[in-house]
Amino acid sequence: MHLINIKVHMLQQPTVARMQHTESKPAIAGFLQRRPRWAPPAPLFLLQPVLRRIVQKIAENNPDMFGRLGPHYRAVFVIDPVNLPFVMLLRPDPDDLMLVARRRSEISEHDARISGKFLDLLMLVDGDLDGDALFFSRNLTITGNTEAVVCLRNALDDIDDSIAEEVADMFGRPGRAALMALRRMNEKRETQ
Amino acid sequence: MIRPELVCPAGTPSAMRTAVDAGADAVYCGFQNATNARNFPGLNFTVPELERAVAHAHAGGTKVLLALNTFPPAGKVDLWKEAADTGARLGVDAFIVADIGVADYIARTHPDIRLHLSVQAAASTPESIQYYCREFNVKRVVLPRILTVPEIKLMADEIPCEIETFIFGNHGLMVEGRCSLTNYITGLSTNMDGVCSPAAQVEYIKDDEGNLSTRLGEYTIDCFSCNESAGYPTICKGRYLTPAHDGPYYAFEEPISLNLSTLLPDLMKAGVTALKIEGRQRSKAYVKSVVSAYRKAVDSIMAGQDPQISDLLALTEGQKETQGAFKSKTWR
């Protein structure tokens, strides 16, 4: 086989540094989105102070992780749990941290998007699932700046302690009970 | 039968600690620069990280092998020499090298530290391996993944060093250390810059129907339909259009992982003394699962029992596994 004989097919779309929002079609499954259609949208403003506390706590406990982000610490990531009614915008800049919830119709400019089911994303962040395996099985989708995503993945994967437990501990006994329930749900899912 | 060394990947300090805890006999790792063939963004070790990691590994009885397995471009050899000097100062147990200049420097400057010949050197004949052993006192060769088990047995009888073979991970059929496909598309070299398919030039595009296109630089190298398993964005595993074939086809190899769990007893009988798990770019979840599975399998064999083989299919590329050339030269 000579490479010169292989006619590679080129896409016409140009690569752009930052992506504009495109409407996604989240899968509707599981208890997490059992909200009836007639119900009002989730009140995201209640989530914002909680998310701010979470990202600040993780940054405080794991200051070494930022070194692995290289030049991408100012990148904006859309974390898209496809079975939840909202996404999260993350900017892992230690001097200007951001983790906020947004409706899918309100996503602003961003550098990369990471989409998957909520439990998969949780287990991934917690070092319990392999991101490449999730990608191979098509349960994880990456779009936008791939290098930024790889850096974020490696930064999170180098954290020894459980991020999920750090977050759960912030909310005391109810937080730990919620995490236990989520982990049981994941184990049940894996054995099915 | 000699108890083989289980050689495990460590892309980050946390992955190294995971490998040690999971039963690795040795871990291999690299610095955050072009001296190693997994020079990926956000991966690998700083000097202080490696210092702490060596101490941790040695405390657990695990050896640390430092990969300096790329080829220095002319005029830039100092980076490789400095990496070797630093590794020696930190107490690594062996260097994994591919370039004869790097091998020569280490053999002369740090003669007390073991030299392992990387798969990147693509040494696949007794004559070439004997040369490395004679000239640089190489103690172990990592064989290319192109030999059958009987061929490895014949090799073991003819060479004066230990044999390490890959047992899980990348299938790796290109002539390693010679592959210029990434360079052809991106201008960066796998062998000199340590980057195969640099992430900065990889892009995934998902259409409204769920099909996923993989692009490297300006080229589309594959398109997976919505329910099809995906693979890495490497040119060697892309599907291409050519007048000689109807529709796109895998020109070189396909997304599939090597898994030699059922061949372990044969490999050990053939004289393989080190079993290597590929995947420094993978997560610690991967490291934990694969290292634990192989630890259990090797221990079972050494205890005279049937190997306990865990199902690792979910971790394989394209969700497919093969025994590749180890089983037969006609695996495709």
Side-chain angles (χ1 to χ4, degrees):
Chain A
M1 172 54 56
H2 299 288
L3 187 64
I4 202 165
N5 288 336
I6 297 171
K7 196 189 288 177
V8 283
H9 170 66
M10 279 185 66
L11 281 187
Q12 300 303 309
Q13 299 142 309
T15 305
V16 289
R18 285 217 161 182
M19 306 165 67
Q20 293 296 320
H21 165 66
T22 51
E23 194 66 43
S24 62
K25 295 174 181 170
I28 305 297
F31 93 112
L32 289 162
Q33 66 296 106
R34 282 194 193 130
R35 185 172 57 84
R37 281 187 180 180
W38 46 263
L44 295 185
F45 71 90
L46 293 174
L47 264 180
Q48 311 301 9
V50 178
L51 292 175
R52 195 160 48 240
R53 270 184 69 199
I54 287 173
V55 75
Q56 280 168 352
K57 185 73 178 172
I58 293 169
E60 205 177 285
N61 289 355
N62 306 285
D64 292 345
M65 69 172 278
F66 295 103
R68 294 196 176 271
L69 293 167
H72 301 292
Y73 66 98
R74 283 188 181 145
V76 175
F77 299 88
V78 173
I79 314 295
D80 184 357
V82 294
N83 50 350
L84 289 188
F86 62 89
V87 302
M88 285 166 281
L89 263 59
L90 168 70
R91 183 177 54 235
D93 179 352
D95 297 324
D96 190 16
L97 279 172
M98 176 184 77
L99 183 63
V100 292
R102 291 276 186 273
R103 295 183 212 298
R104 287 191 173 77
S105 57
E106 296 169 354
I107 301 173
S108 51
E109 275 194 354
H110 55 278
D111 295 274
R113 186 176 187 135
I114 303 164
S115 310
K117 288 178 186 161
F118 172 72
L119 275 178
D120 283 340
L121 294 177
L122 179 71
M123 296 303 142
L124 190 62
V125 166
D126 214 25
D128 279 343
L129 273 182
D130 178 65
D132 290 13
L134 273 180
F135 171 79
F136 297 149
S137 64
R138 304 293 302 279
N139 287 311
L140 183 75
T141 303
I142 306 296
T143 53
N145 187 330
T146 308
E147 184 174 85
V149 175
V150 171
C151 285
L152 180 66
R153 193 280 302 262
N154 288 332
L156 291 171
D157 203 57
D158 193 35
I159 295 173
D160 276 332
D161 295 329
S162 162
I163 294 177
E165 282 172 20
E166 283 178 13
V167 172
D169 285 345
M170 289 170 60
F171 302 98
R173 194 182 285 178
R176 285 188 286 273
L179 177 60
M180 208 181 292
L182 286 169
R183 284 180 168 164
R184 268 201 302 269
M185 199 183 303
N186 185 54
E187 281 166 19
K188 196 174 165 189
R189 186 181 62 151
E190 283 177 351
T191 53
Q192 279 171 350
Chain B
M1 196 157 50
I2 299 167
R3 184 180 187 271
E5 195 172 270
L6 193 56
V7 183
C8 306
T12 62
S14 185
M16 180 182 282
R17 288 186 284 273
T18 301
V20 170
D21 292 346
D25 295 308
V27 289
Y28 63 102
C29 56
F31 286 125
Q32 292 178 344
N33 58 36
T35 58
N36 84 90
R38 283 288 182 270
N39 182 22
F40 293 171
L43 205 67
N44 298 316
F45 290 67
T46 63
V47 173
E49 283 172 347
L50 187 61
E51 185 167 19
R52 289 192 293 271
V54 168
H56 179 84
H58 285 173
T62 306
K63 294 175 191 159
V64 178
L65 319 180
L66 183 62
L68 304 177
N69 58 345
T70 41
F71 296 84
K76 295 186 179 175
V77 186
D78 284 352
L79 183 65
W80 279 256
K81 289 180 177 175
E82 283 164 22
D85 294 342
T86 305
R89 180 171 58 79
L90 300 184
V92 301
D93 299 277
F95 294 108
I96 308 171
V97 300
D99 178 76
I100 55 172
V102 176
D104 180 60
Y105 176 77
I106 295 172
R108 285 186 294 105
T109 316
H110 305 292
D112 296 334
I113 302 179
R114 283 168 63 97
L115 265 185
H116 294 183
L117 189 64
S118 169
V119 70
Q120 283 280 100
S124 57
T125 63
E127 288 79 3
S128 64
I129 296 165
Q130 285 160 3
Y131 169 81
Y132 283 104
C133 295
R134 189 173 62 242
E135 296 300 322
F136 309 115
N137 197 23
V138 160
K139 300 290 188 195
R140 178 185 294 175
V141 58
V142 185
L143 289 180
R145 286 158 271 198
I146 55 169
L147 302 172
T148 61
V149 175
E151 285 173 335
I152 292 171
K153 187 169 183 345
L154 286 175
M155 181 79 79
D157 295 336
E158 291 189 56
I159 60 173
C161 69
E162 301 166 6
I163 290 179
E164 181 172 309
T165 59
F166 283 91
I167 52 169
F168 191 87
N170 184 22
H171 192 195
L173 295 171
M174 310 307 284
V175 182
E176 291 177 84
R178 318 282 199 273
C179 176
S180 294
L181 290 175
T182 281
N183 204 333
Y184 178 78
I185 299 287
T186 70
L188 287 170
S189 165
T190 305
N191 309 313
M192 291 188 286
D193 300 304
V195 281
C196 177
S197 289
Q201 297 194 45
V202 172
E203 188 181 14
Y204 299 107
I205 300 164
K206 194 172 178 182
D207 68 20
D208 291 342
E209 287 158 9
N211 305 309
L212 185 75
S213 294
T214 306
R215 284 163 56 109
L216 182 64
E218 295 182 338
Y219 298 95
T220 298
I221 57 176
D222 212 336
C223 182
F224 303 100
S225 61
C226 55
N227 292 318
E228 194 178 9
S229 297
Y232 280 123
T234 56
I235 302 158
C236 57
K237 290 166 187 169
R239 273 181 287 198
Y240 302 97
L241 299 168
T242 168
H245 277 258
D246 292 331
Y249 85 116
Y250 290 110
F252 304 98
E253 47 179 316
E254 55 190 289
I256 195 165
S257 289
L258 189 73
N259 184 357
L260 300 188
S261 52
T262 55
L263 286 182
L264 280 182
D266 296 338
L267 285 170
M268 288 157 68
K269 280 180 206 151
V272 172
T273 50
L275 305 166
K276 186 168 210 155
I277 295 166
E278 188 270 346
R280 278 189 284 153
Q281 76 283 10
R282 301 290 290 263
S283 68
K284 59 177 184 257
Y286 165 95
V287 169
K288 186 178 178 183
S289 297
V290 181
V291 175
S292 303
Y294 273 99
R295 175 77 280 153
K296 205 172 166 188
V298 170
D299 289 349
S300 300
I301 295 167
M302 291 309 296
Q305 300 159 354
D306 286 338
Q308 303 292 310
I309 308 295
S310 301
D311 181 5
L312 297 171
L313 190 65
L315 293 166
T316 57
E317 188 178 359
Q319 313 265 279
K320 283 185 285 187
E321 55 190 20
T322 178
Q323 295 174 324
F326 291 85
K327 179 80 174 173
S328 160
K329 296 279 191 186
T330 54
W331 64 91
R332 268 187 83 183

